[in-house]
């Protein structure tokens, strides 16, 4: 607080553990009839866990990190609270600073963090100085670019190879037919492998319309055949669980491996061919 008989000749600085504020309290006092003014400066040790940086709405899709504790500054029992000079807040970084990050001095406005009236004066790896033309609840938020999403297709390819080897090499019972399971693995393995290769050479493929359309059609075919083989596997499991003698006898005569392969791949091929005939521009488009 300062009163009418104040002898200070410079702006006082108030400090907390991780922040400080420089405010022209003397100038504010001179603008009041009582020639006095008071400032309250508070730092909230865990408030950043509640007023999260996610409440800072920005147009770009970035990762937002709270770089400071939340602070507040007010002018209690002061009639004329108009600031004579911008107030400078110094925030000590509470997390590791990214040189490529973008810092924003923000204040809390009812339900979100906004930057109106606040700007960054200077910064380094350990602290940042913000300048604001009003008092409120403040914080420092850093925006960084999102890391590129890693393709999980590589893991799908590895698991597909292991599953294929398991079903192809391990025979628990001669009565167990692994044809559907093996072909599910083959279809999904080829689909994910083709998708992974497409992502790696996307810049080359997208300029070749025919190649792009062929790859789109193959992806459509492999994923569809995977669904068809899942249906065939479900039917065979149903027959195995029910253990009906009539169905079992038909199984030996009709549901042979060759016929199953024709059904598993022919249905998918028919759907792709119909799609090509009806909507040929759907393959190899921008999407």
């Amino acid at each position: 607080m300062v009163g009418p008989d104040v002898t200070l000749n410079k702006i006082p600085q108030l400090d907390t553990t991780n922040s400080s504020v420089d405010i022209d309290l003397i100038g504010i006092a001179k603008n009041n009839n009582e020639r006095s003014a008071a400032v309250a400066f508070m730092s909230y040790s865990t408030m950043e866990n509640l007023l999260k940086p996610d409440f800072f709405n920005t147009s770009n899709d970035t990762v937002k990190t709270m770089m400071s504790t939340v602070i507040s500054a007010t002018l209690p029992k002061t009639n004329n609270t108009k600031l004579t000079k911008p107030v400078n807040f110094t925030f000590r970084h509470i997390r590791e600073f990214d040189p490529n990050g973008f810092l924003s001095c923000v204040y809390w406005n009812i339900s979100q963090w906004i930057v109106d009236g606040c700007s960054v004066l200077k910064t380094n790896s350990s602290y940042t100085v913000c300048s604001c033309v009003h008092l409120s609840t403040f914080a420092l938020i850093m925006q960084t670019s999102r890391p590129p999403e890693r393709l999980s297709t590589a893991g799908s390819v590895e698991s597909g190879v292991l599953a294929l080897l398991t079903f192809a090499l391990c025979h628990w019972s001669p009565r167990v037919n692994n044809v559907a399971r093996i072909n599910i693995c083959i279809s999904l393995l080829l689909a994910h492998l083709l998708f992974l290769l497409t992502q790696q050479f996307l810049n080359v493929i997208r300029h070749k319309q025919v190649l792009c359309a062929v790859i789109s059609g193959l992806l459509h075919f492999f994923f569809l055949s995977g669904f068809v083989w899942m249906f065939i596997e479900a039917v065979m499991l149903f027959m195995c669980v029910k253990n009906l003698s009539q169905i079992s006898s038909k199984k030996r005569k009709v549901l042979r491996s060759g016929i199953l392969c024709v059904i598993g791949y022919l249905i998918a091929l028919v759907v792709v061919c119909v799609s090509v005939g009806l909507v040929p521009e759907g393959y190899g488009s921008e999407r």
Side-chain angles (χ1 to χ4, degrees):
M1 302 177 64
V2 295
D5 299 326
V6 63
T7 58
L8 295 175
N9 54 13
K10 65 177 183 178
I11 297 175
Q13 184 180 74
L14 302 177
D15 298 290
T16 64
T17 304
N18 293 312
S19 57
S20 62
V21 60
D22 296 293
I23 183 170
D24 184 18
L25 196 59
I26 301 172
I28 297 174
K30 291 179 179 179
N31 288 338
N32 281 270
N33 296 330
E34 299 84 0
R35 310 292 289 178
S36 64
V39 60
F41 181 52
M42 297 157 284
S43 177
Y44 308 99
S45 58
T46 58
M47 187 65 74
E48 66 271 11
N49 297 327
L50 298 176
L51 304 183
K52 299 179 180 180
D54 295 337
F55 293 117
F56 183 36
N57 296 323
T58 56
S59 57
N60 51 349
D61 185 22
T62 56
V63 177
K64 305 176 185 68
T65 305
M66 189 70 77
M67 293 296 293
S68 71
T69 55
V70 178
I71 63 171
S72 287
T74 59
L75 296 172
K77 295 186 177 181
T78 303
N79 295 331
N80 186 3
T81 58
K82 184 179 179 181
L83 299 179
T84 55
K85 296 179 181 179
V87 180
N88 294 336
F89 299 96
T90 301
F91 293 101
R92 185 172 297 278
H93 299 162
I94 61 175
R95 291 178 176 83
E96 184 177 356
F97 175 71
D98 186 352
N100 297 322
F102 179 76
L103 292 172
S104 298
C105 301
V106 297
Y107 77 94
W108 185 256
N109 182 25
I110 302 177
S111 62
Q112 63 179 341
W113 292 110
I114 61 176
V115 297
D116 295 349
C118 293
S119 60
V120 176
L121 280 185
K122 61 179 179 179
T123 185
N124 59 23
S125 60
S126 58
Y127 71 89
T128 297
V129 179
C130 296
S131 178
C132 297
V133 297
H134 56 80
L135 298 181
S136 182
T137 298
F138 303 93
L140 182 68
I141 294 178
M142 180 176 67
Q143 300 178 66
T144 53
S145 301
R146 290 189 178 277
E149 296 182 1
R150 296 182 178 179
L151 292 174
S152 60
T153 315
S156 302
V157 171
E158 294 174 2
S159 60
V161 172
L162 292 175
L164 179 61
L165 293 176
T166 301
F167 291 130
L169 301 178
C170 301
H171 297 278
W172 296 278
S173 172
R175 296 183 179 181
V176 176
N177 192 338
N178 280 337
V179 174
R181 300 188 187 106
I182 291 174
N183 282 278
I184 290 175
C185 294
I186 292 174
S187 299
L188 296 181
L189 177 62
L190 292 175
H192 285 114
L193 184 60
L194 182 59
F195 183 77
L196 182 62
L197 293 174
T198 302
Q199 299 303 309
Q200 294 296 323
F201 302 99
L202 190 59
N203 293 330
V204 178
I205 296 173
R206 64 175 37 160
H207 300 297
K208 299 181 179 180
Q209 184 70 19
V210 176
L211 180 59
C212 188
V214 171
I215 292 176
S216 300
L218 289 174
L219 284 173
H220 192 191
F221 170 75
F222 286 132
F223 280 118
L224 272 178
S225 62
F227 280 110
V228 175
W229 280 110
M230 289 178 195
F231 174 75
I232 293 175
E233 172 66 10
V235 173
M236 296 180 67
L237 285 174
F238 173 79
M239 294 164 59
C240 180
V241 171
K242 288 298 184 179
N243 196 22
L244 299 176
S245 58
Q246 292 181 350
I247 296 181
S248 297
S249 62
K250 291 182 180 179
K251 174 184 175 182
R252 296 190 188 96
K253 296 180 180 178
V254 180
L255 299 180
R256 297 174 182 174
S257 298
I259 298 178
L260 287 177
C261 289
V262 172
I263 296 174
Y265 291 108
L266 184 61
I267 294 177
L269 182 62
V270 169
V271 174
V272 173
C273 291
V274 172
S275 300
V276 172
L278 295 178
V279 192
E281 67 276 7
Y283 292 93
S285 64
E286 289 291 329
R287 303 179 63 181

